Amino acid sequence: MAHLELFVLTWGIYPRRVLIYLHEKGLLNSPHIKITPVTISPTNEMVAPGKPKGTVPILALPDGTFIKQSVAILDYFEDICDNPQEQWQKDIAAVAKPSMRGSSAREIATTREILALADEATSLFGFACHKGSKLFVTLEPVDPTASGFAMEWAKKNLKLLEAYYEGRFEGNNPNGEKVTIADCVLFSLLQFAKELYARDLVADPELPNLKRFYNVFKESESAKIPEDFYPREIKELACVWLE
């Protein structure tokens, strides 16, 4: 019996964070976690039986409440794995991989630093898309200048992240690296930007560590996507940027 239900749009940037995490954590196929894809209604709402209003991901808990933010969902899973209370939580913890936040105060603090920068970069990139991609021309006011400013701020965050990946994800084996929740959040952004919006955020020569991280992580089973992963009608518009 599934005690948790995760509502997702499988190709969405925020749900991808959680799906990549669950795969890396070894929980993607847990019988206690039901993953329910949503559909888009004619009024552009994300709908599924039992899902409350709002964007995804949303995690439904056994007590009838919901967690509606991706980072909070990641922390919830880490918390129940680190300190399980009920039997179903103990079942999840028993098969889960070790902490993806870190094993010491220093490691946990570093993960939080990376996570904060990656999360902010994601918000900035999202704003740049809404104001500068052809995808949103008929949906909301666009402003290519504002889009450009947001994109530059997102790239500034990536430059701050560069140093954190020095010495990490070296070689060609993603399984040899200790993946954190912050890595899942950052990769989700980089993949979404490149594959849907045709923006390679790590093309800058000043970002060799992030480029290596992306190239290695994308080969992991958790990160691989089929060629038709993103809806074609959306991708065709998303990759066109306004001047």
Side-chain angles (χ1 to χ4, degrees), residues 81-99:
C81 288
D82 289 346
N83 187 28
Q85 300 295 313
E86 301 180 40
Q87 185 56 51
W88 64 269
Q89 296 176 345
K90 294 176 181 178
D91 292 342
I92 288 176
V95 299
K97 292 181 180 179
S99 174

Side-chain angles (χ1 to χ4, degrees), residues 114-125:
I114 298 171
L115 181 60
L117 288 168
D119 192 40
E120 184 177 55
T122 300
S123 296
L124 289 165
F125 180 77

Side-chain angles (χ1 to χ4, degrees), residues 94-130:
V95 299
K97 292 181 180 179
S99 174
M100 288 176 61
R101 288 185 292 205
S103 56
S104 69
R106 174 66 263 185
E107 288 182 358
I108 293 171
T110 298
T111 298
R112 286 173 175 163
E113 286 181 311
I114 298 171
L115 181 60
L117 288 168
D119 192 40
E120 184 177 55
T122 300
S123 296
L124 289 165
F125 180 77
F127 182 83
C129 294
H130 278 255

Side-chain angles (χ1 to χ4, degrees), residues 7-154:
F7 297 98
V8 298
L9 183 67
T10 54
W11 53 268
I13 186 170
Y14 292 100
R16 280 287 287 161
R17 295 174 167 185
V18 182
L19 293 173
I20 291 172
Y21 163 82
L22 289 175
H23 197 295
E24 291 289 337
K25 192 72 174 177
L27 298 177
L28 190 62
N29 297 313
S30 169
H32 294 290
I33 305 169
K34 178 183 179 182
I35 298 176
T36 302
V38 301
T39 57
I40 307 299
S41 73
T43 56
N44 285 324
E45 291 183 287
M46 299 179 183
V47 296
K51 174 191 169 296
K53 288 186 177 181
T55 58
V56 290
I58 294 175
L59 183 66
L61 305 185
D63 64 1
T65 61
F66 302 92
I67 302 175
K68 300 181 179 181
Q69 296 296 319
S70 60
V71 172
I73 292 172
L74 299 180
D75 274 329
Y76 176 82
F77 279 115
E78 285 293 291
D79 287 340
I80 64 172
C81 288
D82 289 346
N83 187 28
Q85 300 295 313
E86 301 180 40
Q87 185 56 51
W88 64 269
Q89 296 176 345
K90 294 176 181 178
D91 292 342
I92 288 176
V95 299
K97 292 181 180 179
S99 174
M100 288 176 61
R101 288 185 292 205
S103 56
S104 69
R106 174 66 263 185
E107 288 182 358
I108 293 171
T110 298
T111 298
R112 286 173 175 163
E113 286 181 311
I114 298 171
L115 181 60
L117 288 168
D119 192 40
E120 184 177 55
T122 300
S123 296
L124 289 165
F125 180 77
F127 182 83
C129 294
H130 278 255
K131 296 305 170 189
S133 169
K134 189 176 180 181
L135 179 62
F136 297 96
V137 167
T138 61
L139 301 175
E140 60 185 72
V142 295
D143 186 337
T145 301
S147 173
F149 281 128
M151 189 72 75
E152 288 307 309
W153 279 104

